[in-house]
């Protein structure tokens, strides 16, 4: 986005009458030109270019769901009458009560 901002600013500053325009008017004109260019041209282009990175792969959804469920089970406190398995049970931390 910065290159577009610099390019538009440079192109507008090259206009011969630009120096005679008051600073607030220059700012208003620049913002009025740059905002639509960024919104209507650059953002759709960048989104289209980054689509593979932005979209979720359907084949990974099931793997992520299984991983999330396994992590939720490890984070949940053991219910009465159940023993915790895995690393927590191996080091004895599940049996300690404070």
């Amino acid at each position: 986005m910065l290159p577009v901002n610099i390019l538009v600013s440079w192109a507008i500053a090259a206009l011969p009458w630009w120096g005679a325009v008051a600073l607030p008017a220059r700012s208003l004109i620049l913002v009025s030109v740059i905002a639509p260019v960024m919104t209507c041209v650059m953002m759709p282009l960048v989104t289209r270019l980054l689509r593979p990175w932005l979209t979720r792969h359907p084949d990974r959804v099931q793997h992520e769901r299984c991983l999330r469920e396994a992590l939720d089970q490890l984070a949940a406190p053991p219910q009465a009458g159940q023993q915790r398995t895995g690393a927590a049970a191996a080091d004895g931390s599940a049996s300690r009560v404070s």
Side-chain angles (χ1 to χ4, degrees), residues 74-89:
L74 287 174
Q79 295 181 4
Q82 290 183 341
Q83 283 188 328
R84 181 169 267 189
T85 60

Side-chain angles (χ1 to χ4, degrees), residues 58-81:
D59 55 339
R60 301 284 299 170
V61 172
Q62 181 63 32
H63 174 71
E64 292 169 1
R65 187 175 295 129
C66 291
L67 181 61
R68 187 175 54 241
E69 289 171 0
L71 290 172
D72 287 344
Q73 287 177 355
L74 287 174
Q79 295 181 4

Side-chain angles (χ1 to χ4, degrees), residues 30-49:
L30 265 174
V31 168
S32 298
V33 171
I34 291 176
V37 168
M38 294 288 193
T39 303
C40 298
V41 177
M42 291 307 299
M43 290 309 291
L45 178 66
V46 169
T47 303
R48 206 172 6 257
L49 290 172

